[in-house]
Amino acid sequence: MSNPLIVVGVTSHQSSAVIDQALVFARKFDATLLCVHVDASRFVVETRDDGTVVAAPYDPDAGEAIDEVMDPAIVERAGAQAAAASTLIEFLETAGDPARTLGRIADERDAALIVVGARRASLGGSIREFFARSVAANLTHRQTRPVVVVPVETVGPKDALPWDEAR
């Protein structure tokens, strides 16, 4: 029987707290951590036998189909964190709607759970989330497996949020 799998959604500029927390779960479950980056500006044209994804932009004027490649900074940062935690780690670069893609990959790989980071609190982010919903919100409404949302900013119950100050 193989190790359980934990899927974590990663981005280039996210807090290291997301991968740190995913690693906590991976260690507790003796699981492999699968770091998945989803390019929301592109869609999958082809998935090759080796797992390489060929993606094209939604905007026809934005260019041609290309092989999706994981940002080396993500691989370096997450790889170092996993090595320090003595945890197996894999990387997958793909394209499409992040919530649907993370859910599909978790289903295909029979993941134990999905870990994502919460959005940073901002007035603009709240407006975007209202109209487009966050990846975390979409996952929690469309998944049959557990979804862990990692807070990326500590905000106490008495702290003002950016949209509170806009009133």
Side-chain angles (χ1 to χ4, degrees):
M1 186 172 166
S2 63
N3 284 8
L5 183 76
I6 294 175
V7 171
V8 59
V10 296
T11 65
S12 297
H13 303 293
Q14 81 186 144
S15 167
S16 62
V18 177
I19 294 173
D20 288 341
Q21 188 59 56
L23 285 165
V24 167
F25 288 114
R27 282 193 309 274
K28 286 187 184 290
F29 295 129
D30 192 25
T32 298
L33 188 62
L34 175 60
C35 295
V36 180
H37 179 263
V38 183
D39 184 344
S41 69
R42 305 177 77 74
F43 65 94
V44 175
V45 175
E46 173 189 5
T47 302
R48 297 189 178 134
D49 291 339
D50 67 356
T52 304
V53 170
V54 179
Y58 287 108
D59 178 358
D61 296 329
E64 298 180 23
I66 60 167
D67 288 358
E68 289 289 322
V69 178
M70 178 76 71
D71 179 348
I74 294 174
V75 174
E76 183 178 333
R77 185 177 69 233
Q81 288 172 269
S86 301
T87 301
L88 295 174
I89 191 167
E90 298 175 18
F91 297 93
L92 177 63
E93 177 69 27
T94 190
D97 174 82
R100 289 181 188 272
T101 303
L102 289 170
R104 178 184 52 76
I105 290 166
D107 286 344
E108 290 172 357
R109 301 279 304 266
D110 194 28
L113 60 98
I114 302 169
V115 179
V116 293
R119 288 189 179 189
R120 295 193 186 276
S122 70
L123 181 58
S126 296
I127 292 169
R128 281 189 303 278
E129 188 167 328
F130 175 78
F131 287 107
R133 296 184 77 186
S134 71
V135 170
N138 277 317
L139 275 169
T140 58
H141 288 92
R142 297 176 185 262
Q143 269 307 300
T144 57
R145 67 194 69 249
V147 176
V148 176
V149 181
V150 179
V152 294
E153 291 181 0
T154 304
V155 179
K158 295 181 181 179
D159 294 334
L161 293 168
W163 48 87
D164 292 336
E165 296 169 5
R167 293 182 192 167

